[in-house]
Amino acid sequence: MDIRPAAFMTVVRSDAMRPALEEGDVLLASRVRGVRRLRRGEILVFRVPDDPKPRIRRMIALPGDHVRFAEDGVVVLNGEPLFEPYARRSRAFRGSFTVPGDRVFVLGDRRDDSHDARQWRESFVPASEILGVARTRLFPWPVTPTRVLAR
């Protein structure tokens, strides 16, 4: 039996999600029970093997999705360019891959200056390491929902 609370608070500890989230913002996150309930574009709270502190990044792709980085910095998901008005694109990363089962692919919104899956030892976040989905920014005032722009 899982006795963890259904929601928890966390603090943004980097500027990788600017301008959507700033360092020091306090977020309310809901627990996740499996990747099937996740939606592309949601902001996840998770752990990576390199660091025990929770990270916060935007989920770009689900298990089985094919991701390609175009020359102009656009992320192409399953053959369609992603609409990402929140992201600051980077031309520094190129390549393509398919997300393995039971894992997701995440990126920061500041692609030029975000320490994210492109640099980590393990490029995909295992479902078991996802702690929750950021739903609301509680501080600073005013309280605002996190936005999901997914198809």
Side-chain angles (χ1 to χ4, degrees):
M1 177 194 267
D2 190 357
I3 57 173
R4 295 179 299 168
F8 62 96
M9 290 191 305
T10 190
V11 177
V12 177
R13 301 190 189 286
S14 77
D15 61 357
M17 294 300 296
R18 286 182 64 211
L21 300 173
E22 300 283 338
E23 190 170 358
D25 285 358
V26 177
L27 306 176
L28 180 65
S30 62
R31 295 269 179 213
V32 172
R33 304 211 192 318
V35 295
R36 290 184 189 149
R37 295 185 177 182
L38 297 175
R39 296 184 340 183
R40 292 174 196 93
E42 287 183 312
I43 297 173
L44 300 184
V45 181
F46 58 93
R47 289 195 183 102
V48 296
D50 301 354
D51 187 357
K53 295 178 196 160
R55 302 269 177 114
I56 298 169
R57 301 291 188 274
R58 193 173 302 273
M59 187 183 61
I60 302 300
L62 292 162
D65 283 345
H66 183 75
V67 178
R68 180 174 61 85
F69 291 90
E71 289 181 21
D72 61 358
V74 171
V75 177
V76 179
L77 180 67
N78 299 323
E80 297 289 326
L82 280 182
F83 175 65
E84 297 184 290
Y86 46 77
R88 294 183 182 167
R89 294 183 186 152
S90 171
R91 296 167 195 235
F93 191 77
R94 294 207 181 99
S96 66
F97 53 86
T98 299
V99 180
D102 204 34
R103 298 191 185 292
V104 298
F105 181 72
V106 299
L107 292 174
D109 288 354
R110 283 182 66 186
R111 306 281 161 81
D112 278 336
D113 192 30
S114 172
H115 184 67
D116 55 33
R118 298 169 293 168
Q119 293 89 23
W120 297 333
R121 181 171 45 102
E122 169 63 49
S123 297
F124 306 101
V125 177
S128 61
E129 297 300 321
I130 299 171
L131 303 174
V133 176
R135 300 290 182 197
T136 305
R137 188 189 72 189
L138 299 174
F139 180 82
W141 193 259
V143 172
T144 57
T146 58
R147 304 260 189 259
V148 177
L149 298 170
R151 295 183 275 164

